[in-house]
């Protein structure tokens, strides 16, 4: 299985991909610190009375979403029970479209649209500009969270950004080409096994 929780934590991959992230302006902090500093966080990141909040962990103990000051604490859900839990607080951004790309090493093997204006909208389409953006990002950032992973790209105000990275072995493919993904992932696994890598 390819899904390393440590490297797929958005605080970890953010150190490498931050210039390209949709939420490049954000705060990473503990749950308890966020609660104690919530007024300051809303002053810094609030737009229309809301901020975006999500867990840093790829295991997503609660759903990332936009929340008002009054619902901030309750929105953190199960993270409130874990003193080590860390969260991201960022400005609200409106995403027009979102695409999922399957990355194996340095290669984009498939991709598709999975959302439109915040709603699920699956289409087997990967515009050339999205492909070129992802290729540029991968060329600029040699670090990888896993041998295979998912790269989610979103369009905001006409610009492309990384929304998040996800684990290859625990993510939906949506309308990505299953046969291509299986073939390429199998070949990658074979090569790594023969070379003694994980």
């Amino acid at each position: 299985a390819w899904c390393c929780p440590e490297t797929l934590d958005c605080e970890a991959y953010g150190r490498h991909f931050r210039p390209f992230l949709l939420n490049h302006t954000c705060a990473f902090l503990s749950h308890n610190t966020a609660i104690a500093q919530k007024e300051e966080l809303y002053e810094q990141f609030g737009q229309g009375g809301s901020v975006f909040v999500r867990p840093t962990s790829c295991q997503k103990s609660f759903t990332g979403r936009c929340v008002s000051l009054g619902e901030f604490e309750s929105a953190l859900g199960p993270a409130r029970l874990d003193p080590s839990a860390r969260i991201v607080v960022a400005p609200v951004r409106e995403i027009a479209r979102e695409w999922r790309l399957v990355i194996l090493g340095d290669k984009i093997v498939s991709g598709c649209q999975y959302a439109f204006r915040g709603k699920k909208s699956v289409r087997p389409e990967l515009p050339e500009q999205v492909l070129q953006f992802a290729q540029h990002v991968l060329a600029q950032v040699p670090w990888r969270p896993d041998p295979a992973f998912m790269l989610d790209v979103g369009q905001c105000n006409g610009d492309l950004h990384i929304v998040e990275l996800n684990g290859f072995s625990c993510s939906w493919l949506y309308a990505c080409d299953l046969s291509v993904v299986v073939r390429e992932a199998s070949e990658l696994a074979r090569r790594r096994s023969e070379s003694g890598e994980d």
Side-chain angles (χ1 to χ4, degrees), residues 53-120:
V53 61
R54 62 155 287 176
T56 65
S57 170
C58 69
Q59 294 159 335
K60 299 180 180 175
S61 58
F62 65 91
T63 302
R65 60 192 177 99
C66 302
V67 298
S68 66
L69 180 60
E71 61 182 343
F72 184 74
E73 292 186 46
S74 63
L76 303 185
R80 294 175 293 170
L81 306 176
D82 181 0
S84 66
R86 292 181 64 76
I87 65 168
V88 181
V89 179
V92 174
R93 306 290 301 275
E94 185 175 340
I95 306 174
R97 294 182 187 275
E98 298 174 67
W99 297 269
R100 170 152 293 172
L101 286 75
V102 182
I103 314 295
L104 276 66
D106 297 326
K107 185 177 181 181
I108 301 166
V109 300
S110 190
C112 69
Q113 177 182 298
Y114 68 88
F116 176 72
R117 301 202 181 281
K119 304 290 185 183
K120 186 175 179 181

Side-chain angles (χ1 to χ4, degrees), residues 39-192:
E39 285 81 8
E40 292 93 332
L41 290 169
Y42 275 79
E43 285 181 18
Q44 182 177 0
F45 299 112
Q47 293 181 357
S50 295
V51 297
F52 174 78
V53 61
R54 62 155 287 176
T56 65
S57 170
C58 69
Q59 294 159 335
K60 299 180 180 175
S61 58
F62 65 91
T63 302
R65 60 192 177 99
C66 302
V67 298
S68 66
L69 180 60
E71 61 182 343
F72 184 74
E73 292 186 46
S74 63
L76 303 185
R80 294 175 293 170
L81 306 176
D82 181 0
S84 66
R86 292 181 64 76
I87 65 168
V88 181
V89 179
V92 174
R93 306 290 301 275
E94 185 175 340
I95 306 174
R97 294 182 187 275
E98 298 174 67
W99 297 269
R100 170 152 293 172
L101 286 75
V102 182
I103 314 295
L104 276 66
D106 297 326
K107 185 177 181 181
I108 301 166
V109 300
S110 190
C112 69
Q113 177 182 298
Y114 68 88
F116 176 72
R117 301 202 181 281
K119 304 290 185 183
K120 186 175 179 181
S121 176
V122 178
R123 296 183 176 199
E125 301 169 358
L126 185 62
E128 184 63 26
Q129 64 176 356
V130 177
L131 180 61
Q132 289 180 0
F133 169 77
Q135 289 170 333
H136 172 71
V137 169
L138 294 173
Q140 295 297 309
V141 183
W143 179 88
R144 301 289 181 260
D146 260 332
F149 63 99
M150 305 300 196
L151 181 72
D152 291 350
V153 174
Q155 184 180 48
C156 178
N157 296 324
D159 295 323
L160 296 174
H161 305 272
I162 296 173
V163 176
E164 64 180 347
L165 275 60
N166 285 296
F168 175 84
S169 297
C170 58
S171 299
W172 288 103
L173 288 175
Y174 298 114
C176 291
D177 190 322
L178 178 61
S179 62
V180 170
V181 172
V182 170
R183 182 180 71 243
E184 295 285 347
S186 298
E187 176 60 20
L188 176 62
R190 183 192 63 77
R191 291 197 309 269
R192 292 181 67 84

